[in-house]
């Protein structure tokens, strides 16, 4: 019997809150021929048993913005489609038992102030006044979010589904996808004897997201976990309270609590956590079932909850829910186009699916219809995980983060599990030199090197951490002598073919080099002129180009290049793993390299922004005359198998030139002084080249993606621009603190922007902050204030670059 074939422009697989929200937003935007296929009934999976908590608070500013959008969307569904969602906006407290936790709350208070989100620091007595059931013993204080609340997940999902149908989209239940095949111009989705063709496919499969991804030859690092919450019987203390009690998140005891009718709903994050279905895939037949409860392994967590709410000791249990929830390895959603699978989108891994579904539906509809979302979502982009991830990695990392759901999110926090997945041949040697390693896109790379008699480990802090002075020594070594920096984790691509030059001209804002050995910095822009990223383009030959970009952007750049390559005779190869890179930067860099090579490293023979094949000792490679530190320097790219010999040779000869090993944190501080922008911090789709001060890298004489927007922006003053600020010391006897990013910036009492990154400029002897600020206050010399850990600090706008503005050192 032949299959019955239908067609839709977009097919969404999965009828939970996220899938229905995506369909709703697609239909509302005009894509009324979109179709949702649900395996069972709407809300089957995680949605039906979710606690329904909604909030705006998140460590990631744009996730807070998405969640704030969700709240307002849900509140409007009753008027829009006649669906009440059981919305309860009751406010919520975050409890702190330690000074370190209060320091985090002070940091977050500044971040939320920059977003216009209310978030107030409170005392234990203020908590007790609004929630009299709370015992405040051992509390240092807390934070208050007036927009905390909860909704009925079933009603929200049905409301979104009703809205999608109202705007013309279709929903089909009892349609379990059997297989998916790639066809010209899109996908074919098979369900038994039926099939549907579509241009774009969206995987919102929840527990089954990895199984759906396997149907297109991909994998998703998803771990389904068991999670309990408990609902008590009616409690006289709750019933007697005149208002509905606020929500509680005891961040140090790792539980959430809210009122449910006249009882309480308690959700502890299990230290003794369990993968659902024994770590295997969810059965396709699983619908609205629960797992057997296991309160014995929650004894410590329940004891902590009862100590915080003594009235629970006399309360009975009405219901125990032990359901499954999906975790990504970093406990953040995974959304966006899946690299390597054209027109295949992902929206899965939602730990807070109800809170995030509304905003994610909006963002996904923009991604599907416009090619990019309006806001920067790199921190939840599925492209942040590459082929190096495995299910074992995902499970290990999930088991680390699950029991500490409310951990303190320190700046530059590193994980201990899922490590040593991607290492270079010099990894063990770096450890022998007391390298403190971090992980970036799976790669192990040195963050800093501990000197003799100093323990090689991070001690995280919102103030200046234990590595501050040691990183400073590395910065001084680069400025005064020469530093050796492992840059092997940088993303690297080969673009080859008859149309390679034309292709790079089209996808990049700058003219691709026309002479062998020349280099160009080029921006990758979307049609709105937002910065997708930046790459250094090295011309190897007429038909071969070598691209170097940010480590964390490898998946994004791969997706972007492949997406636009179809019309060109060109091949794109990822070569990160096969090319090792060592950076040699500092005033002694030329002398060091010249002592090891017969090649000429003089300025006349090897000018800035050129590349040459060279031999350093016994190793042949490609040298790029460029330096992210803003000093005289080269990047030495060689086959990965030769990296150890190159490293050993440079290290031995470097003793004569004052060479010091340098980590990535020093490089980050050095780039601030030079005004160099960083991907994911300053360079995002929300920022235009003009606002970033990068118009010089945008051609006026060729066509490229985003040129119309760039040219139009040349005639207008951006509302906001990126600027560097010199920040005054904290003062008093407290430890110093620098900007980490997201701190609010004021002119008087007016909020004028926020920090995108910050640190200490060791060559200038000055704390620095890069700010995204109103253009009318961005002139050098302007006086502003930056709020750092609750303190208003005087700051002055400085001209970029703040250090060596004539590039005398870089070009020497």
């Amino acid at each position: 019997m032949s299959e019955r074939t239908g067609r839709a422009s977009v097919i969404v697989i999965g009828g939970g809150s996220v899938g229905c929200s995506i369909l709703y937003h697609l239909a509302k935007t005009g894509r009324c021929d979109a179709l949702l296929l649900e395996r069972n009934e709407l809300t089957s999976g995680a949605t039906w048993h979710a606690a329904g908590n909604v909030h705006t608070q998140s460590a990631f500013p744009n996730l807070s913005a998405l969640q704030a959008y969700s709240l307002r969307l849900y509140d409007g569904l009753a008027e829009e489609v006649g669906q009440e969602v059981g919305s309860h906006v009751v406010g919520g407290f975050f409890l702190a038992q330690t000074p370190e936790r209060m320091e985090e709350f002070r940091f977050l208070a500044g971040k939320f102030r920059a977003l216009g989100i209310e978030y107030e620091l409170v005392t234990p007595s203020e908590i007790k006044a609004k929630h009299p059931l709370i015992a405040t013993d051992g509390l240092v204080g807390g934070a208050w979010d007036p927009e905390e609340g909860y909704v009925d997940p079933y009603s929200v999902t049905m409301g979104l589904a009703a809205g999608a149908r109202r705007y013309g989209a279709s929903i089909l239940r009892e349609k379990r996808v059997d297989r998916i095949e790639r066809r010209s111009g899109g996908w074919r989705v098979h369900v038994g004897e039926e099939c549907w063709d579509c241009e774009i496919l969206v995987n919102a499969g929840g527990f089954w997201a990895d199984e759906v991804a396997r149907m297109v030859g991909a994998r998703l690092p998803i771990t389904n976990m068991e999670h309990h919450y408990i609902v008590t019987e009616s409690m006289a203390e709750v019933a007697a309270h005149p208002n509905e009690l606020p929500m509680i998140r005891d961040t140090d005891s790792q539980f959430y609590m809210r009122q449910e009718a006249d009882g309480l709903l308690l959700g502890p994050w299990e230290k003794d956590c369990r993968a659902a279905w024994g770590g295997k895939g969810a059965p396709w037949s699983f619908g609205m079932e629960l797992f057997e409860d296991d309160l014995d392994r929650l004894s410590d967590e329940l004891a902590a909850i009862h100590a915080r709410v003594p009235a629970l000791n006399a309360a009975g249990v009405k219901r125990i829910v032990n359901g499954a929830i999906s975790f990504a390895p970093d406990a953040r959603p995974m959304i966006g186009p899946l690299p390597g699978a054209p027109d295949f989108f992902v929206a899965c891994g939602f730990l807070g699916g109800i809170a995030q579904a509304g905003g994610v539906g909006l963002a996904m509809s923009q991604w599907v219809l416009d090619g990019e979302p309006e806001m920067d979502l790199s921190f939840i982009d599925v492209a942040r995980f590459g082929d190096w991830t495995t299910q074992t990695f995902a499970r290990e990392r999930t088991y680390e983060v699950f029991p500490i759901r409310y951990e303190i999110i320190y700046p530059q926090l590193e994980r201990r599990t899922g490590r040593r997945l991607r290492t270079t041949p010099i990894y063990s040697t770096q450890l022998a030199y007391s390298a403190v390693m971090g992980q970036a896109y799976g790669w192990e790379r040195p963050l800093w090197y501990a000197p003799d008699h100093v323990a090689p480990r991070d001690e995280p802090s919102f103030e200046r951490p234990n590595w501050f002075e040691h990183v400073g020594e590395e910065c001084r070594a680069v400025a005064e002598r020469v530093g050796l920096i492992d840059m092997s984790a940088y993303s690297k691509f080969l673009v080859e073919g008859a149309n390679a030059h034309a292709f790079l001209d089209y996808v990049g804002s700058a003219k691709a080099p026309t002479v062998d050995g020349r280099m160009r910095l080029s921006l990758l822009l979307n049609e709105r002129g937002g910065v997708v990223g930046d790459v250094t383009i090295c011309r190897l030959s007429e038909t071969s180009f070598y691209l170097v970009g940010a480590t964390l952007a490898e998946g994004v750049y791969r997706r972007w290049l492949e997406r636009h390559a179809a019309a060109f005779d060109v091949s794109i190869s990822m070569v990160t793993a096969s090319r090792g890179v060592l950076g040699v930067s500092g005033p002694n860099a030329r002398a060091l390299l010249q002592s090891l090579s017969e090649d000429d490293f003089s300025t006349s023979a090897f000018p800035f922004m050129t590349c040459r094949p060279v031999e350093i000792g016994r190793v042949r490679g490609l040298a790029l005359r460029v330096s992210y530190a803003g000093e005289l320097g080269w990047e030495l790219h060689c086959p990965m198998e030769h990296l150890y010999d190159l490293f050993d040779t440079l290290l031995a000869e470097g003793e004569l030139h004052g060479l010091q090993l340098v980590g990535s944190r020093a490089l980050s501080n050095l780039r601030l002084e030079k005004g160099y922008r960083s991907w994911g911090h300053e360079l995002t789709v929300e920022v235009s080249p003009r606002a970033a001060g990068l118009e010089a890298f945008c051609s006026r004489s060729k066509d490229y993606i985003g040129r119309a927007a760039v040219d139009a922006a040349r005639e207008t003053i951006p509302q906001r621009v990126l600027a560097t600020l010199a920040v005054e010391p904290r003062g008093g006897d407290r430890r110093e603190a620098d900007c980490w990013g997201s701190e609010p910036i004021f002119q008087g009492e007016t909020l004028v922007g926020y920090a995108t990154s910050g640190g200490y400029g060791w060559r200038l002897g000055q704390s620095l902050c890069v700010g995204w600020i109103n253009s009318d206050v961005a002139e050098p010399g302007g006086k502003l204030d930056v709020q750092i850990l609750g303190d208003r600090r005087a700051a002055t706008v400085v001209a970029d670059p703040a250090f060596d503005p004539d590039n005398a050192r870089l070009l020497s």
Side-chain angles (χ1 to χ4, degrees), residues 130 137 172 231 322 329 358 578 589 621 779:
K130 285 189 176 180
D137 300 350
L172 296 177
V231 180
N322 183 19
S578 63
E779 286 298 317

Side-chain angles (χ1 to χ4, degrees), residues 674-690:
K674 291 297 296 178
Y676 297 157
R677 309 312 186 194
S678 174
W679 182 86
H681 294 276
E682 287 79 43
L683 300 183
T684 76
V685 294
E686 299 176 26
V687 176
S688 70
R690 182 169 187 189

